[in-house]
């Protein structure tokens, strides 16, 4: 974020530096501003240009302020303010006195702008900004009346009487009570959220997104947008229904005269589509031209709604005194469509005798008394009943219970006899009032619910309210109370005043085509017809105004990348593109053309929105986040849960398939935002829930170590970074990804040298580099950089302190130190050995890949090959588990697993193979098994030569504390004494070198020098875990981990290595490598090489074992894609550390990819379920 402010000097004699000091205070938290302009300039035009930069996350560039000039300037600036103690921190921590005014005078942002945290639009110049108008609306005008206008709507005027007639007074009252209770509980939850801090303009979307996070916020915000858009379609359809059926029926483009059944229905729907599209286009044009006209007309529309409702109540009162005359004509018990006849009688008596009526002519073939008439017409009498008997008539008892119809059923009066033949087909169907849709209880719920929506109208205008925290709860709850009272009283009053057949007559066909609720109104039905028409038009305009702004708010938040285009609009901020999208979606609702079909759709979206408002309040209350301090105190999490449950229940009551579709839409949007959306941190409740769940889970993990069945590698991956903070071993992360088929924890760590205060930026850079590489390699986990005075300590800190509670690493993955013989810094391999010791002491498993650069990337695929496991000592099963996990990954999936184990002279190799096969069968692991027999053999001359070279090198390293000149002299004397024998007997042996640095992975670079013990090099008997192989004649001795490169070949890439192999003779003794001495017998060699007699025999035995094992492994596994091998432990004293590295190097010489594995001292795999 970069912002430029120009502060001009207008009057007075204040210096630019003074002005800048105030600007510094005003924009607290950003980096210290730079200053241009000479101090002391007093010209009237002097100006100070202040450039502020930041990323909305204020940070100090340095923990200390080092400029003495700045300090002196500040001491003068704050002189006399009793703030000397704090003057150095004034840039980042401004004085409260300068902060309070900006906090107290906070004004809400205009509708549809960005959230209140982003106080200004980055792209706009401040000089062009218009001052924000101070909001002045109170509770009545700002919340109560808008809510009333939005809640009362088309359903009350067009469907309420029909709902009462079909569902009965009791059934409809239950529906109304459920819906009103749901909205009241939602309003309580919304009030709690709205009063928990300053509410930015944007209403429900902002409430949900800031309470439940961007994923839920985006999903529910789009659902709310769709609901508002479809509400616009519903209002337009309602207006067209009023226009074509009640106001000007002759305006129909597709005439209904003479049509019956499906044809009449199709004609009506086509009329709705044509006129609906015309009205939608005209409304969208009005909204596009100027919203100010919509707002000016809002009061007129509101007046229409209130007058219409008052007219209904006045009519109810009048029915008790003087019921209006609205007769209904019944033939038998069937309601007749009162059209094309004037008298409700078959014949009338006149002076000239009995004369047939127009009704007679509708059912008979001629006007004469002897005409052939409809059978039902002949068998039943015509009766005229009062459509509005009045509140005192007792009709309520008849209307208490529901009458549900199939589509096409006759609307008949209860408790009235009728003579009819059940087998006789219905004739003259268009003369009777018929049910136009199949009705059932849940359908009524879906149709009614939209009439209680609109409770968010107040919160949507929060930017215009004088005191939103006070007005929103009071105004919304008062509006819901008012409307609920009107709805509930309407249900009872309609049932008490209107005849049942009239209530069930949806379009008023039995009362001369009048609007049914209009027949009840006083003084005229036209009051309701005209009033409801204007109110539905107004509500449609409000929907087309509000929905685009909601879409614009979502688009500007940037959480849904695909919707970003809809954030743009006209120069004045009007959302043009959003309006176009809204009109298109609205048109899809109009093409449905049926009010009864559109209503359940928008019910779904509104119910989902309300459900998440309740969830947000319940979640915040239960989590007890410190920031949850609503001013509105009359809420409880149980009420929110009840509201949420009611919303869910109503969704499935309305339409289970619509509910599933709405949930799938919301779920798809949620996942899309999760994967593709922008990362936002809004302090939402879901984040708090994650924290609470994580804390609970961590506390549970503390109860004890995991069972063997639950063991999985929780890896601490140690990598090193170069001077540019780039990771030096990226393939370590690839291997980590391939091992994580077992899921579990991954921590990628790196060690840095120095002090934390001085290297804070390097730490941040290193962590950023690690995070970037983890994303590239698709490794899910955490990264951590640690700084200490030396690399050894930093690595030790990582091993000790990484993880939290029970969620700690149980294995360390670190690459073998490459080129450990070629560097000047011998500490790298010492650090590596210390790391091995530390992991052993901490009971952590250790995985050391050798030749890590040769390991496959995640994009490679092995189509064939083997993963070979050399199981020499038992390590808790790590060697069995790791290949299984690797083969879950697509890189290694096609590789087969082979397990080799080593048999001694006195072992039964056949029985060993049987036992191992059975063990693997119980482990459910598919692998080939082979037992390799290692016969005893004499120690070869090559072994002695290798040991001699190794010990000579060790002698050199002991001189490491001498001066450079002395060291060179000492090295020369040592090498001179042995050069002749080495050249003579082993020209292929590698020259001795002093350099011992390697690229130790994330861990070591430097270590405090250790005191080397001068004790005699007697053989050491290790524990069973580190014992490589037992010899019958010598004490057990540990072998050592290996390196990928042969001595002297450190600079070669893995693919260029020279692999040395030996063929076995018939007696089992390996042939000597080229250049090695080939005497007639070993005894003669001792006579020829007196230097060998002084060698440490323990080292000779270890070298012998390493060479023999390496020989066998190369013979069996030279073509393997990966070799897993037990890693021997380091010597207990530190005298032989350099020898340990040599043993490991020899053990793995000539192998391309090796993974050395050291168990953590516990079983990690079990045969039990």
């Amino acid at each position: 974020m970069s912002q430029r402010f120009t502060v001009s000097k207008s009057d007075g004699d204040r210096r630019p530096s003074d002005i800048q000091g105030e600007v510094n205070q005003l924009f607290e938290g950003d980096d210290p501003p730079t200053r241009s302009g000479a101090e002391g300039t007093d010209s009237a035009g002097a100006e100070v240009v202040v450039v502020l930069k930041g990323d909305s996350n204020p940070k100090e560039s340095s923990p200390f302020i080092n400029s003495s000039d700045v300090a002196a300037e500040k001491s003068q600036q704050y002189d006399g303010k009793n703030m000397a103690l704090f003057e150095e921190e004034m840039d980042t921590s401004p004085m409260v006195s300068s902060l309070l005014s900006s906090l107290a005078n906070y004004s809400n942002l205009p509708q549809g702008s960005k959230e209140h945290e982003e106080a200004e639009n980055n792209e706009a110049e401040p000089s062009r900004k218009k001052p924000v108008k101070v909001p002045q609306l109170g509770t009545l005008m700002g919340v109560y009346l808008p809510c009333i206008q939005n809640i009362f709507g088309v359903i009350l005027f067009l469907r309420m009487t029909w709902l009462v007639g079909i569902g009965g007074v009791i059934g409809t009252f239950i529906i109304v009570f459920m819906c009103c209770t749901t909205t009241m509980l939602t309003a309580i939850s919304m009030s709690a959220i709205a009063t928990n801090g300053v509410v930015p303009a944007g209403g429900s979307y902002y409430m949900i997104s800031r309470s439940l996070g961007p994923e839920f916020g985006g999903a529910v915000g789009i659902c709310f947008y769709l609901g508002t858009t479809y509400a616009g379609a519903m209002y337009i359809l309602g207006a067209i229904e009023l226009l074509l059926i009640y106001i000007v029926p002759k305006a129909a483009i597709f005439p209904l005269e003479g049509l019956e059944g499906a044809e009449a229905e199709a004609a009506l729907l086509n009329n709705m589509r044509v006129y609906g599209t015309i009205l939608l286009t005209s409304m969208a044009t009005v909204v596009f031209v100027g919203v100010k006209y919509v707002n000016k007309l809002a009061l007129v529309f509101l007046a229409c709604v209130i007058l219409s409702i008052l007219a209904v109540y006045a009519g109810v009162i009048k029915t008790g005194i003087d019921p209006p005359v609205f007769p209904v004509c019944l033939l038998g018990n069937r309601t007749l469509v009162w059209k094309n006849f004037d008298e409700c009688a078959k014949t009338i008596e006149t002076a000239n005798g009995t004369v047939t009526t127009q009704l007679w002519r509708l059912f008979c073939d001629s006007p004469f008394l002897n005409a052939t008439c409809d059978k039902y017409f002949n068998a039943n009498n015509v009766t005229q009943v009062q459509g509005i008997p009045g509140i005192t008539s007792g009709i309520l008892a008849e209307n208490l219970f529901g009458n549900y119809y199939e589509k096409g059923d006759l609307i008949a009066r209860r408790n009235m006899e009728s003579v009819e033949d059940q087998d006789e087909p219905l004739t003259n169907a268009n003369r009777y009032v018929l049910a136009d849709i199949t009705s059932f209880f849940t359908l009524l719920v879906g149709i009614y619910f939209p009439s209680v929506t609109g409770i968010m109208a107040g919160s949507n205008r929060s930017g215009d309210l004088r005191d939103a925290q006070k007005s929103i709860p009071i105004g919304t709850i008062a509006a819901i109370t008012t409307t609920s009272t009107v709805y509930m009283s309407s249900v009872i009053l309609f049932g008490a005043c209107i005849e049942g057949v009239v209530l069930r007559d949806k379009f008023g066909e039995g009362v001369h085509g009048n609007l049914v609720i209009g027949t009840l109104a006083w003084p005229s039905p036209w009051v309701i017809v005209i009033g409801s028409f204007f109110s539905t038009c107004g509500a449609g305009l409000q929907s087309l105004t509000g929905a685009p702004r909601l879409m614009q708010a979502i688009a500007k938040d940037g959480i849904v990348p695909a919707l970003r285009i809809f954030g743009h609009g006209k120069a004045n901020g009007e959302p043009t593109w959003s309006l176009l999208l809204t009109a298109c979606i609205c048109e899809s609702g109009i093409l449905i053309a049926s009010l009864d079909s559109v209503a359940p759709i928008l019910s779904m979206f509104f119910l989902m929105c309300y459900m998440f408002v309740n969830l947000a309040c319940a979640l915040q209350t239960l989590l007890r986040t410190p920031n949850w301090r609503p001013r509105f105190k009359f809420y409880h999490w149980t009420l929110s849960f009840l509201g949420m449950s009611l919303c869910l229940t109503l969704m499935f009551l309305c339409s289970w398939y619509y509910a599933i579709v709405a949930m799938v839409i919301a779920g798809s949007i949620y996942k899309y935002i999760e994967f593709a959306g922008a990362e936002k941190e809004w302090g939402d409740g879901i984040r708090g829930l994650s924290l609470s769940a994580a804390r609970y889970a961590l506390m549970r993990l503390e109860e004890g170590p995991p069972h063997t069945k639950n063991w999985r590698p929780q890896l601490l991956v140690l990598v090193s970074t170069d001077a540019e903070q780039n990771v030096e071993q990226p393939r370590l992360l690839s291997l980590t990804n391939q091992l994580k088929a077992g899921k579990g924890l991954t921590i990628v760590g790196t060690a840095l040298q120095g002090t934390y205060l001085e290297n804070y930026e390097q730490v941040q850079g290193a962590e950023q580099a690690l995070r970037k590489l983890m994303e590239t390699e698709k490794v899910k986990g955490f990264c951590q950089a640690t700084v200490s005075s030396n690399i050894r300590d930093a690595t030790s800190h990582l091993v000790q302190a990484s993880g939290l509670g029970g969620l700690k690493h149980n294995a360390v993955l670190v690459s073998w130190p490459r080129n450990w013989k070629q560097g000047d810094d011998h500490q790298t391999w010492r650090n590596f050995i210390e790391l091995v010791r530390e992991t052993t002491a901490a009971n952590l498993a250790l995985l050391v890949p050798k030749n890590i650069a040769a390991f496959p990337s995640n994009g490679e695929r092995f189509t064939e090959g083997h993963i070979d496991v050399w199981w020499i000592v038992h390590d808790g099963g790590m060697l069995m588990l790791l290949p299984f996990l690797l083969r879950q990954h697509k890189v290694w999936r096609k590789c087969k697993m082979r397990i080799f184990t080593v048999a001694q002279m006195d072992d039964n190799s056949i029985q060993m193979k049987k036992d191992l096969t059975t063990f693997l069968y119980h482990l459910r692991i598919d692998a080939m098994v082979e037992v390799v027999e290692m016969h005893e053999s004499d120690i070869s001359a090559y072994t002695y030569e290798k040991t001699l070279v190794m010990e000579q090198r060790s002698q050199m390293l002991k001189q490491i504390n001498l001066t450079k000149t002395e060291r060179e002299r000492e090295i020369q004397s040592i090498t001179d004494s042995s050069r002749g024998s080495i050249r003579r007997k082993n020209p292929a042996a590698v020259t001795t070198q002093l350099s011992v640095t390697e690229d130790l992975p994330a861990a070591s670079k430097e270590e405090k020098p250790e005191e080397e013990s001068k004790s005699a090099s007697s053989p050491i008997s290790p524990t069973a875990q580190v014992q490589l192989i037992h010899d019958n004649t010598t004490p057990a001795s540990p072998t050592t981990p290996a390196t990928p490169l042969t001595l002297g070949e450190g600079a070669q890439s893995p693919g260029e290595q020279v692999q040395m192999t030996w063929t076995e003779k018939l007696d089992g003794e390996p042939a000597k490598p080229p250049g090695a001495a080939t005497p007639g017998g070993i005894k003669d060699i001792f006579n020829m090489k007196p230097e060998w007699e002084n060698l440490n025999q323990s080292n000779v035995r270890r070298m012998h074992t390493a060479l023999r094992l390496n020989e066998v492994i190369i013979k069996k596994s030279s073509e393997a894609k990966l070799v897993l091998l037990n890693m021997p432990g380091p010597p207990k004293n530190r005298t032989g550390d350099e020898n340990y590295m040599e043993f490991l190097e020899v053990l793995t010489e000539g192998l391309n990819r090796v993974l050395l594995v050291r168990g953590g001292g516990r079983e990690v795999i079990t045969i039990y379920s």
Side-chain angles (χ1 to χ4, degrees), residues 733-734 736-737 740 746 748 774-775 777-781:
L733 274 296
S734 303
T736 303
N737 177 281
K740 293 315 286 181
T746 303
V748 181
M774 288 171 73
E775 286 177 9
E777 297 292 342
K778 297 180 180 175
V779 174
K780 297 199 174 187

Side-chain angles (χ1 to χ4, degrees), residues 608-673:
M608 186 165 285
C609 177
Y610 296 166
M611 181 172 75
F612 281 103
V613 169
N614 284 300
L615 174 64
C617 179
L619 204 60
Q620 299 277 33
T621 308
L622 288 174
L623 289 176
R624 297 177 182 173
T625 49
N627 192 50
W628 180 245
R629 303 184 300 274
R631 288 190 179 280
F632 181 77
K633 301 298 182 185
F634 305 101
Y635 70 95
H636 195 267
W637 66 268
T638 52
L639 295 177
S640 299
F641 264 116
L642 180 60
M644 190 175 69
S645 306
L646 274 172
C647 287
L648 198 60
T649 305
L650 286 172
M651 280 177 70
F652 282 92
L653 273 180
C654 292
S655 172
W656 63 267
Y657 46 89
Y658 277 164
I660 291 172
V661 169
M663 286 179 168
V664 167
I665 291 172
S668 303
I669 297 166
Y670 179 96
K671 296 309 288 184
Y672 174 73
I673 294 171

Side-chain angles (χ1 to χ4, degrees), residues 611-854:
M611 181 172 75
F612 281 103
V613 169
N614 284 300
L615 174 64
C617 179
L619 204 60
Q620 299 277 33
T621 308
L622 288 174
L623 289 176
R624 297 177 182 173
T625 49
N627 192 50
W628 180 245
R629 303 184 300 274
R631 288 190 179 280
F632 181 77
K633 301 298 182 185
F634 305 101
Y635 70 95
H636 195 267
W637 66 268
T638 52
L639 295 177
S640 299
F641 264 116
L642 180 60
M644 190 175 69
S645 306
L646 274 172
C647 287
L648 198 60
T649 305
L650 286 172
M651 280 177 70
F652 282 92
L653 273 180
C654 292
S655 172
W656 63 267
Y657 46 89
Y658 277 164
I660 291 172
V661 169
M663 286 179 168
V664 167
I665 291 172
S668 303
I669 297 166
Y670 179 96
K671 296 309 288 184
Y672 174 73
I673 294 171
E674 189 177 49
F675 285 113
E679 290 292 330
K680 297 284 183 182
E681 175 50 73
W682 287 329
D684 51 85
I686 294 297
R687 179 87 173 205
L689 183 62
S690 301
L691 288 171
S692 294
R695 174 184 162 277
Y696 174 76
L698 285 171
M699 298 300 289
R700 287 291 304 273
L701 286 175
E702 282 286 278
E703 293 173 6
H707 191 276
T708 302
K709 287 185 285 188
N710 293 327
W711 195 94
R712 58 187 64 185
Q714 319 273 28
L715 292 178
L716 170 62
V717 185
L718 297 176
V719 297
S720 55
T721 54
D722 57 21
E724 282 78 34
Q725 308 297 340
N726 296 318
V727 177
E728 292 180 341
Q729 306 97 354
R731 286 294 167 86
L732 264 182
L733 274 296
S734 303
L735 179 61
T736 303
N737 177 281
Q738 293 155 26
L739 275 170
K740 293 315 286 181
K743 308 301 181 193
L745 172 75
T746 303
I747 302 172
V748 181
T750 188
L752 302 175
Q753 185 174 347
T755 62
Y756 184 73
L757 289 177
E758 292 172 356
N759 294 277
Y760 175 74
E761 289 183 2
Q762 285 87 334
V763 171
Q764 298 293 89
E767 288 190 347
Q768 189 64 30
L770 292 180
R771 207 170 284 116
K772 187 175 179 181
L773 183 61
M774 288 171 73
E775 286 177 9
T776 304
E777 297 292 342
K778 297 180 180 175
V779 174
K780 297 199 174 187
F782 310 98
C783 58
Q784 187 173 352
T786 303
V787 186
S788 189
S789 56
N790 60 72
I791 296 293
R792 170 72 247 131
D793 287 350
T795 307
S796 180
H797 296 160
L798 274 172
V799 173
Q800 294 176 61
S802 294
L804 179 64
L807 195 66
K808 289 181 72 72
H809 56 277
N810 53 28
V812 176
L813 177 63
V814 60
S815 73
W816 175 263
R818 289 185 302 116
N819 310 330
W820 63 276
K821 297 181 181 181
Q822 276 72 44
D824 293 330
D825 184 4
H826 74 288
Q827 289 299 335
T828 51
W829 60 266
R830 291 188 183 278
N831 291 347
F832 174 77
I833 295 173
E834 286 303 304
L835 177 64
V836 177
R837 288 193 172 104
E838 282 186 0
T839 55
T840 304
N843 292 323
L844 299 173
L846 181 64
L847 313 178
V848 183
K850 191 164 180 264
N851 264 5
I852 185 63

Side-chain angles (χ1 to χ4, degrees), residues 143-153 156 160 176-177 179-181 183-184 187 302 305-306 309 313 448 451-455 475-491:
V143 181
Y144 180 77
L145 291 178
C147 282
I148 291 283
Q149 182 181 358
N150 277 265
I151 295 172
F152 285 138
L156 173 63
M160 197 64 174
V176 172
F177 183 78
C179 295
C180 291
T181 303
T183 53
M184 180 60 80
L302 176 61
V305 173
I306 294 173
I309 292 169
Y313 277 102
Y448 172 73
S451 66
V452 295
T453 59
I455 62 171
T476 306
I477 291 173
I480 292 174
T481 305
T482 306
T483 53
S484 299
T485 305
V486 169
Y487 282 134
M488 290 179 191
S489 62
S490 297
V491 170

Side-chain angles (χ1 to χ4, degrees), residues 988-1099:
V990 182
T991 57
T992 57
Q993 297 185 35
L994 176 65
S995 50
V996 285
T997 34
E998 357 293 334
D999 297 340
L1000 186 64
S1004 40
K1005 284 280 180 197
E1006 183 180 333
E1007 157 192 341
K1008 298 172 185 174
E1010 302 272 359
E1011 268 309 313
E1012 294 193 355
S1013 166
K1014 300 282 192 287
S1015 59
S1017 55
S1018 56
I1020 298 162
S1021 179
T1023 60
Q1025 284 80 0
V1026 299
Q1027 191 169 347
L1028 185 62
I1029 192 166
H1030 292 282
D1031 189 82
N1032 288 340
T1033 58
T1034 59
S1037 57
T1039 56
T1040 52
T1043 62
L1045 309 177
T1046 57
L1047 296 173
E1049 294 169 0
Q1052 294 178 357
S1053 67
E1056 297 169 340
Q1057 293 176 26
V1058 179
Q1059 294 194 353
M1060 303 176 67
T1061 58
W1062 296 267
T1063 56
E1064 288 196 9
K1065 294 183 179 179
L1066 292 177
D1067 61 356
E1069 180 182 347
K1072 305 301 178 289
T1078 55
I1082 295 299
K1083 303 298 180 189
D1084 295 334
I1085 292 175
F1086 278 106
N1087 296 329
M1088 293 170 63
K1089 303 288 286 182
E1091 300 100 322
W1092 292 353
E1093 295 176 355
N1094 299 323
L1095 293 176
N1096 183 328
Q1097 291 304 304
S1098 173
N1099 286 341

